[in-house]
Amino acid sequence: MGGRRHGAVQERRVPVEFGGDPVVWSAWLYYEEGLTQNDIAQRLGISRASVNNLLQTARDTGVVTIAVAPRHLQTVELSQAVTARYGIAECLVVPGVDGRRTLHERIGHAGARLLAGQLRPDDVLGVAWGRTVSALAEAMPQVDRPGMSVVQVMGSAVGSERFTAELCTSTLAGRVRGRCIYLHAPGIVSRPEVKAVLMAEPALIEQFRIIAACNRIVFGVGSMQSISIASDGGYLLTAREANPAIARGAVASLAGRFIDAKGRLVPCSFDDRLIGITPDAIRAVPDRLCVAAGPDKVLPIRAVLAGGYITSLVTDEATAQALLSQP
């Protein structure tokens, strides 16, 4: 290929190790050194259009071959396998640890990219709380959907400011420039009678009407192996309250309520004191995005999959493999 002339490129501009060939040189600068086409145009003294032609020639003649890395193909295969195994619409599998971000952040970033591509101007998006949902909200790109409503689906709580339902909801609403609708009630009250009074209030009746109108929802799932996230959210769940449910087969918490391995509700002493969306109401939402990953989330994710609560899942490579390896 040496000695070919392309446009006005002078051979003296091309280093000798590239045989005087501007096709090979431009391909090296673009694919190996990461220069932009404008940078290459200045380096070679030609137009950007000529650089584009050189790069196309490099692809056409085999100087450059483009292939998907096997590592990424593996995650695609895992995504397809999880989708087929559990009968969901889609699964996004994030590759192994990159060493720069936490697992929650990595799953949140991937979930944000997926959700950003799904949102439509008139959507009503329900938002739960949790570390990964918070990471998703913070990673959400600016996507202008001024006609959207972003709705808090679980009651307010006193807890870590980073993971509250209010913050997750307001952050997402800000990213899409949509209407933010808070749920003006505690997440858990002291007595069932208090809940009954609050639920009869016209304001709460209207807010739950809006929650019922959600066509999308984003949520995480809690593990019974650790109740820390429940405490972070302000629900102040104790081992004394959780252990009876575990003894009856609870493997996960979903919207503050416990479910078993088949996704069935496991009654708990505080169910009639919780104010927020129920698992059945989650299942009634058309598009349901779950963001969760980690060794302690394998059983919970399988439970929400078994219960039909998920249409889209974002998880990591190790969790996906575990989901496929278990019967």
Side-chain angles (χ1 to χ4, degrees):
M1 293 187 299
R4 288 203 307 266
R5 299 295 297 273
H6 292 265
V9 180
Q10 298 178 4
E11 291 186 6
R12 64 179 177 82
R13 293 182 180 270
V14 182
V16 65
E17 60 266 32
F18 294 94
D21 193 332
V23 171
V24 180
W25 177 225
S26 61
W28 177 270
L29 292 173
Y30 188 73
Y31 291 103
E32 295 296 330
E33 296 192 14
L35 271 63
T36 67
Q37 292 189 23
N38 284 334
D39 292 337
I40 298 170
Q42 292 178 5
R43 180 79 66 89
L44 273 62
I46 58 177
S47 68
R48 187 180 182 281
S50 296
V51 173
N52 186 63
N53 290 335
L54 290 170
L55 295 175
Q56 185 61 52
T57 300
R59 292 189 289 269
D60 292 343
T61 59
V63 171
V64 172
T65 58
I66 300 174
V68 180
R71 179 73 168 178
H72 293 288
L73 283 177
Q74 181 179 359
T75 61
V76 171
E77 291 171 355
L78 283 172
S79 298
Q80 294 174 337
V82 171
T83 299
R85 170 79 173 270
Y86 292 98
I88 59 177
E90 58 189 338
C91 175
L92 177 58
V93 176
V94 177
V97 178
D98 62 12
R100 295 172 296 171
R101 295 179 294 196
T102 67
L103 181 58
H104 296 295
E105 290 171 338
R106 291 169 52 235
I107 300 303
H109 275 71
R113 293 196 303 272
L114 179 62
L115 183 61
Q118 295 176 335
L119 295 178
R120 299 295 178 264
D122 296 325
D123 281 343
V124 181
L125 173 66
V127 182
W129 56 262
R131 286 190 181 95
T132 311
V133 175
S134 176
L136 181 152
E138 292 175 0
M140 188 74 178
Q142 193 69 54
V143 182
D144 288 348
R145 299 288 187 274
M148 274 189 61
S149 294
V150 184
V151 187
Q152 177 183 337
V153 299
M154 299 176 68
S156 303
V158 178
S160 170
E161 294 181 356
R162 291 183 59 196
F163 311 130
T164 61
E166 299 97 317
L167 183 57
C168 293
T169 304
S170 62
T171 301
L172 268 173
R175 295 290 195 272
V176 302
R177 301 188 191 279
R179 175 190 179 198
C180 181
I181 302 173
Y182 294 114
L183 178 54
H184 296 298
I188 187 167
V189 295
S190 59
R191 301 186 310 279
E193 307 86 70
V194 176
K195 176 180 176 179
V197 171
L198 288 174
M199 294 297 289
E201 285 293 316
L204 245 59
I205 291 173
E206 173 62 15
Q207 287 173 325
F208 272 90
R209 184 195 66 77
I210 297 172
I211 289 174
C214 288
N215 66 310
R216 298 186 187 277
I217 188 168
V218 56
F219 61 94
V221 58
S223 169
M224 301 304 292
Q225 297 178 30
S226 170
I227 61 172
S228 62
I229 187 60
S231 297
D232 284 339
Y235 286 80
L236 303 177
L237 178 63
T238 67
R240 181 177 60 82
E241 293 171 309
N243 285 338
I246 294 173
R248 293 194 297 272
V251 299
S253 63
L254 176 62
R257 292 168 173 82
F258 297 145
I259 59 174
D260 66 13
K262 294 185 178 180
R264 299 172 300 198
L265 189 67
V266 177
C268 182
S269 61
F270 58 75
D271 284 346
D272 56 2
R273 295 188 288 122
L274 286 172
I275 297 179
I277 195 168
T278 64
D280 283 346
I282 290 177
R283 193 160 41 201
V285 178
D287 294 301
R288 308 177 296 277
L289 171 60
C290 178
V291 286
D296 64 329
K297 296 297 179 74
V298 176
L299 285 178
I301 294 172
R302 292 189 75 226
V304 291
L305 285 166
Y309 299 106
I310 295 176
T311 57
S312 299
L313 172 65
V314 178
T315 192
D316 74 328
E317 193 172 354
T319 305
Q321 290 170 337
L323 290 171
L324 294 169
S325 66
Q326 297 185 10

